[in-house]
């Protein structure tokens, strides 16, 4: 066995119900005295108690899905005078903080309010026109993450499902990402088990802290694995579709995931076995796709890209940019025809065959 694995340096704090105090402690530990607090107006009630405990010099509320370059530019201008960033919100909020950190070098304390996982990666994304660009830069990795399950008790059920399946996509893509290694696969396998355990519990009781923490645990492991393994076919597809058609990020991932899993799994037996084992610990299944299907049925998961605004004629437009983005080492060979068929099925929400 020969491989090289790099673990990203980051402090992670689980503090259910204690995010204001925990964030203040992280800001102090990082030497911050002038905080730029990034939180959309939708997150105001969650961010206000945190704001009371930290030295905020600017509060920035303009948060937009997929981080348009003009939004990033305004946030970077607003950061003048700050020496640390605190983000309170989902992946779009964390992504905006990363865009600011990329050009300013300011450290980030991330406080997630969804299961997006962006807080645990050094991956950034910016959208210009219909094109979403992504890359990796250690400057954008949050220095600290504070997970407070209490902040997710009001997350709408539909968003919980989509966000949790977005985290599941991190696990699945990590099984065959361009830089994957045995450590990534082990983390991803445990992440799948954690998510498969936590998400049904959250679906049954959205205010249950135990289920939320189990889901956060799985989402964190998923993100750590993904940061190391890199973006595989699934994420490359979703980034193209999201940027091209302005589709909602988490729902797009939730829809596309079962189709990519079914496409790749027959060509990656070791990865398929790990995924099946992780789902089997919860759903007693012996097949990866069957395990994901069982979870999706419990959660009443998003089913079709057309439900989220993707035009049918967009399928043909998306094929070429997706083909150019898919890693060369994808387990299954991809052709224009096979990709078109996959996109058509995901657009319509056809049953997995």
């Amino acid at each position: 066995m020969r491989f090289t694995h790099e673990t990203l340096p980051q402090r992670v704090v689980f503090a259910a119900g204690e995010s204001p105090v925990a964030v203040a402690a992280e800001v102090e530990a990082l030497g911050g005295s002038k905080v730029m607090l990034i939180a959309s107006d939708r997150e105001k009630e969650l961010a206000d108690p945190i704001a009371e405990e930290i030295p905020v010099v600017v509060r920035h509320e303009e948060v937009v899905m997929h981080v348009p370059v003009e939004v990033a530019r305004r946030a970077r201008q607003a950061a003048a005078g700050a020496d640390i960033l605190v983000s309170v919100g989902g992946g779009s909020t964390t992504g905006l903080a990363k865009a600011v950190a990329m050009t300013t070098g300011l450290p980030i304390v991330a406080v997630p309010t969804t299961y997006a996982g962006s807080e645990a990666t050094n991956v950034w994304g910016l959208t210009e026109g219909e094109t979403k660009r992504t890359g990796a830069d250690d400057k954008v990795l949050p220095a600290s993450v504070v997970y407070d399950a209490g902040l997710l008790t009001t997350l709408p059920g539909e968003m919980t499902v989509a966000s949790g399946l977005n985290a599941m996509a991190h696990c699945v893509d990590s099984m065959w990402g361009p830089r994957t290694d045995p450590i990534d696969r082990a983390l991803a396998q445990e992440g799948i088990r954690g998510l498969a355990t936590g998400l049904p519990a959250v679906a049954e009781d959205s205010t249950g802290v135990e289920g939320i923490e189990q889901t956060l645990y799985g989402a964190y492991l998923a993100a750590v694995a993904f940061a190391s393994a890199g973006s595989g076919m699934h994420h490359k597809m979703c980034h193209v579709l999201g940027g091209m058609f302005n589709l909602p990020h988490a729902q797009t991932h939730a829809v596309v995931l079962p189709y990519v899993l079914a496409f790749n799994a027959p060509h990656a037996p070791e990865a398929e076995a790990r995924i099946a084992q992780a789902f089997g610990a919860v759903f007693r299944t012996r097949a990866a796709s069957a395990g994901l299907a069982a979870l999706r049925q419990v959660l009443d998961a998003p089913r079709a890209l057309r439900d989220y605004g993707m035009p049918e004629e967009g399928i043909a437009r998306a094929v070429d940019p997706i083909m150019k983005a898919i890693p060369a080492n994808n387990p299954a060979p991809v052709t224009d025809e096979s990709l078109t068929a996959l996109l058509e099925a995901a657009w319509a929400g056809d049953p997995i065959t």
Side-chain angles (χ1 to χ4, degrees):
M1 183 181 296
R2 182 180 178 85
F3 66 93
T4 300
H5 178 85
E6 183 175 352
T7 300
L8 299 175
Q10 185 181 69
R11 179 177 166 91
V12 178
V13 179
F14 273 74
E18 300 178 0
S19 53
V21 174
V23 172
E26 295 307 299
V27 169
E28 183 178 0
L30 291 166
S33 61
K34 300 175 183 177
V35 175
M36 177 179 181
L37 177 62
I38 302 176
S40 72
D41 184 61
R42 296 186 304 276
E43 306 288 359
K44 186 179 188 316
E45 291 186 11
L46 302 180
D48 281 350
I50 295 172
E52 292 176 2
E53 299 293 329
I54 57 178
V56 177
V57 295
V58 59
R59 190 156 175 171
H60 191 80
E61 296 183 345
E62 187 190 18
V63 176
V64 181
M65 184 173 62
H66 300 304
V67 195
V69 291
E70 61 272 18
V71 172
R73 182 172 58 252
R74 287 191 286 271
R76 289 162 175 168
Q77 292 169 347
D83 61 11
I84 192 168
L85 307 171
V86 172
S87 64
V88 181
S92 296
T93 306
T94 308
L96 182 60
K98 287 180 169 184
V100 175
M102 185 163 56
T103 58
T104 65
L106 297 179
I108 303 170
V109 177
V111 187
T113 60
T114 70
Y115 305 105
S118 177
E119 68 278 357
T121 79
N122 62 349
V123 177
W124 56 266
L126 290 168
T127 301
E128 186 168 12
E130 292 186 343
T131 302
K132 183 172 184 178
R133 296 181 297 112
T134 62
D137 188 329
D138 287 348
K139 291 197 299 293
V140 310
L141 176 73
S144 296
V145 181
V146 174
Y147 288 114
D148 179 352
L151 299 181
L152 284 83
T153 57
T154 59
L155 187 66
E158 182 181 340
M159 191 62 212
T160 295
V161 170
S163 184
L165 289 172
N166 179 21
M168 184 68 73
H170 289 141
C171 293
V172 172
D173 240 10
S174 295
M175 290 292 182
W176 43 59
R179 301 186 304 273
T180 193
D181 61 44
I183 296 174
D184 298 330
R185 295 189 186 102
L187 291 170
Q189 182 175 353
E190 176 62 5
I192 291 171
R193 189 204 61 77
L195 290 164
T197 301
L199 280 171
V202 175
E204 184 175 345
D205 178 10
S206 63
T207 65
V209 170
E210 185 175 342
I212 293 171
E213 286 201 316
Q214 182 69 216
T215 307
L216 281 172
Y217 164 73
Y220 170 71
L221 292 178
V224 172
F226 179 70
S228 175
S231 295
M233 177 180 178
H234 171 90
H235 277 79
K236 295 300 185 182
M237 286 182 61
C238 290
H239 288 162
V240 170
L241 296 175
M244 184 173 285
F245 305 111
N246 196 33
L247 304 182
H249 181 81
Q251 288 85 347
T252 302
H253 283 273
V255 169
V256 171
L257 178 60
Y259 297 97
V260 175
L261 176 58
F263 183 79
N264 271 340
H267 299 266
E270 179 188 351
E272 201 277 344
R274 281 185 175 272
I275 296 169
Q277 288 169 8
F279 279 124
V282 181
F283 295 109
R284 298 184 180 180
T285 181
R286 295 183 180 181
S289 287
L292 179 59
L295 176 63
R296 288 173 54 83
Q297 183 173 1
V298 168
L299 300 178
D300 191 22
R303 297 184 181 279
L305 291 175
R306 64 181 175 184
D307 294 338
Y308 298 97
M310 180 175 170
E312 186 173 11
E313 61 271 20
I315 294 172
R317 288 174 53 200
V319 168
D320 185 59
I322 291 174
M323 285 293 293
K324 291 176 179 176
I326 293 174
N329 67 340
N330 187 68
V334 188
T335 64
D336 287 357
E337 292 74 20
S338 63
L339 178 58
T340 298
L342 192 158
L343 287 170
E344 288 175 343
W347 180 84
D350 290 342
I352 307 295
T353 57

